[in-house]
Amino acid sequence: MTVRSASAPTFLGEGRLEPREREYTDPGPGQLLIRVQANAVCGSDRGQYFTGSAVTPGHEAAGTVAAAGQLTGTALGTRGVVYLMDFCGECRSCRIGATNQCLAKRADMGFSHDGGYGPWMLVHESNFFPITDDIDIADATMLLDVMGTSGHALTRAQALRPDIESVYIAGAGPIGLGLAVMARLRFGSDIPVFISDVSRWRLDFAESFGVTPVLAGDTSAVGAPDVAFDSSGREVARRTALDVLGPRGVLVCVGHGERLSLDVSSDLIAPEHGILGSEYFRFDELDENLRLLRENQHYVSRVITHRVPVDHIADAFDLFLGGETGKVVVVQEGAP
Ligand SMILES: [Zn+2]
Ligand SMILES: [Zn+2]
């Protein structure tokens, strides 16, 4: 067995990042060794950034298969993205395709096992999704939280509300932007999509994707949308979304965070509102999202505002946490 030693950014806590040598073993049966080329920075990295991490963080990774273990069928050189959850494929959830609710997952890549800010990732073949040659490797990371998590939230809403004619999105951060992009791609440009935030910069950026910005708290223009999404995690934003929602409306909570208090009679029963949670996405949604990305790569890739070499990963986090960016993608120079 070969043991590779390579430098990876180590998250020491309190925002301190330092390159340290790590060891990477060959893939075992059913596993692939991925040479990481890009990993998008995410709000969910905040915890590890501030408290430190024993493993290398990064859960929005794209790269190339460099070595393959026994019982695998993926060719060396195959490019693709890594699905965060190393799902078992056999439990009750996985059997119906709900891999994001796997009851026996083996890992959360970037949280329990080394993720995409390092040079190598050891994954199971089942949570590696191959992409086509026409997709830029940094753009491929858009298949994960930006398109995947948002697309799943839209699908959750559509399951309860098939006749969607208006959309309201609370929060214009990366997930809110993803919701805006996916709503436009899925519903076309005919239906109104409103997005709210406290940040003028974020609203202006969201507007460039063809959605209508509203300052948080001012919902006078929003009407009574059929579906609302909360990506902010704020109780006040969830409450506002629920207050504006039309009859039969559905609120989908995508952003983790605060609470939501309800009056069951007036909030749920009388208007027949539905309130749903939506967590990450199903592996089988990647096919459709790849198709959408191939057809709209120019539109979707504008979500990425910065590409930062891994040597400058600290700058990538400073930029991202500054709040005036779309997605910031950390790229590995010298990778194939
Ligand atoms: Zn993420
Ligand atoms: Zn499972």
Side-chain angles (χ1 to χ4, degrees):
M1 166 150 305
T2 326
V3 177
R4 295 168 173 77
S5 180
S7 171
T10 303
F11 285 51
L12 301 170
E14 293 163 2
R16 287 182 304 132
L17 308 181
E18 201 177 281
R20 289 195 181 166
E21 288 296 306
R22 282 188 86 79
E23 294 192 336
Y24 300 91
T25 57
D26 276 347
Q31 289 185 319
L32 304 172
L33 183 70
I34 308 300
R35 179 72 175 94
V36 180
Q37 290 160 277
N39 190 100
V41 180
C42 179
S44 310
D45 295 333
R46 255 192 207 97
Q48 291 160 305
Y49 180 77
F50 288 112
T51 61
S53 173
V55 301
T56 306
H59 59 271
E60 298 190 37
T64 300
V65 176
Q70 291 171 353
L71 309 172
T72 60
T74 308
L76 300 188
T78 302
R79 303 154 75 245
V81 292
V82 176
Y83 182 84
L84 189 159
M85 297 161 180
D86 187 2
F87 56 93
C88 76
E90 287 164 12
C91 72
R92 187 177 168 195
S93 289
C94 286
R95 284 201 308 273
I96 61 141
T99 53
N100 57 332
Q101 294 294 339
C102 175
L103 302 169
K105 63 183 171 181
R106 297 173 284 210
D108 281 323
M109 303 309 300
F111 293 100
S112 67
H113 290 63
D114 282 337
Y117 294 125
W120 302 101
M121 269 177 97
L122 199 57
V123 303
H124 278 103
E125 186 180 37
S126 50
N127 67 316
F128 179 75
F129 178 77
I131 58 167
T132 44
D133 289 342
D134 52 342
I135 303 293
D136 170 83
I137 201 73
D139 291 352
T141 63
M142 296 297 95
L143 289 167
L144 300 166
D145 280 3
V146 169
M147 299 183 79
T149 301
S150 305
H152 184 66
L154 256 63
T155 302
R156 299 272 293 152
Q158 285 178 288
L160 213 55
R161 185 63 193 258
D163 63 324
I164 295 172
E165 293 178 3
S166 53
V167 176
Y168 172 75
I169 300 162
I175 292 292
L177 266 182
L179 287 161
V181 163
M182 290 299 280
R184 275 281 164 258
L185 292 180
R186 200 174 289 187
F187 303 133
S189 50
D190 289 343
I191 73 160
V193 176
F194 296 94
I195 190 162
S196 75
D197 203 283
V198 290
S199 156
R200 191 70 248 178
W201 189 95
R202 285 184 163 186
L203 288 178
D204 288 343
F205 188 54
E207 190 175 16
S208 77
F209 291 87
V211 296
T212 306
V214 294
L215 265 178
D218 177 14
T219 51
S220 50
V222 170
D226 293 338
V227 291
F229 298 90
D230 177 58
S231 68
S232 75
R234 303 274 177 211
E235 176 162 18
V236 61
R238 291 172 180 162
R239 194 54 250 180
T240 302
L242 202 52
D243 288 338
V244 295
L245 208 54
R248 297 191 294 118
V250 179
L251 167 64
V252 184
C253 298
V254 199
H256 286 277
E258 298 170 5
R259 305 168 63 89
L260 171 63
S261 52
L262 295 174
D263 181 276
V264 173
S265 290
S266 61
D267 286 327
L268 291 183
I269 298 175
E272 291 196 326
H273 284 160
I275 303 177
L276 300 175
S278 186
E279 174 82 329
Y280 202 53
F281 59 97
R282 294 163 51 129
F283 189 85
D284 64 7
E285 290 171 289
L286 282 163
D287 284 317
E288 169 64 7
N289 289 339
L290 176 59
R291 188 189 69 75
L292 279 175
L293 181 59
R294 294 182 75 183
E295 285 174 6
N296 304 279
Q297 192 171 178
H298 181 69
Y299 176 71
V300 176
S301 67
R302 275 206 307 110
V303 171
I304 303 174
T305 51
H306 301 79
R307 295 167 190 237
V308 180
V310 69
D311 301 350
H312 297 278
I313 185 172
D315 299 338
F317 273 85
D318 286 344
L319 264 169
F320 182 77
L321 296 171
E324 297 198 348
T325 66
K327 273 297 212 184
V328 175
V329 177
V330 173
V331 293
Q332 307 264 350
E333 301 278 307

